[in-house]
Amino acid sequence: VPDFTKEPLSLSGVVFTASAGSTRGDALASLTTTTARAFSPTDRMQAFLRVYQGGTAALAPVVLTTRIVDAENATVVNHPESLPAAAFARDRQADYFLRLPLSSLKPGEYWLSIEVAAGKRTAKRDLRFSVR
């Protein structure tokens, strides 16, 4: 089991879910997760992960960059966004949800990449999925 409290910046694994948590406290309890990696354009799926800032240094804002790349290596989604330091709870973690834009993707294979950066520190998770 990873010790997220030691690394200055780290990510949990990515989970695909059919519903989002409404508040930080019940986010995991309200998820309907799936091991499926093939979806139809009408599915309403999200990717979920947690961002951790370990150690004892002051919490910092992070930049999350989400990319979805198709089978021809063309970027079809490139979405940077900021996660302010205030988004991190007392336990130094923040939940992140990304609605997958399945209705706008053509049938085929895709690569989801989520990268976070805080100063010179980075962490990244990648996951394949397909649209039927």
Side-chain angles (χ1 to χ4, degrees), residues 65-68 75-80:
T65 302
T66 303
R67 290 182 61 225
I68 298 177
T75 299
V76 294
V77 172
N78 186 19
H79 179 70

Side-chain angles (χ1 to χ4, degrees), residues 1 7 11 17 27-29 31 41 45 48-49 51-52 54 56 73 78 81-82 89 93 102 107-108 116 118 123 132:
V1 176
E7 292 297 319
L11 297 172
T17 176
L28 286 179
L31 295 179
M45 301 302 298
F48 167 79
L49 59 76
V51 181
Y52 298 89
T56 58
N73 205 28
N78 186 19
E81 63 182 285
S82 295
Q93 61 187 14
L102 299 173
V116 293
R132 298 187 282 264

Side-chain angles (χ1 to χ4, degrees), residues 4 10-13 15 17 19-31 46-53 62 64 81-98 114 116:
F4 295 110
S10 59
L11 297 172
S12 70
V15 176
T17 176
S19 62
S22 58
T23 65
R24 196 206 168 290
D26 72 353
L28 286 179
S30 64
L31 295 179
Q46 295 183 95
F48 167 79
L49 59 76
R50 280 200 168 141
V51 181
Y52 298 89
Q53 291 192 51
V62 300
L64 285 126
E81 63 182 285
S82 295
L83 190 60
F88 289 83
R90 247 177 104 195
D91 56 4
R92 305 180 68 85
Q93 61 187 14
D95 293 339
Y96 177 68
F97 290 93
L98 169 75
I114 301 172
V116 293

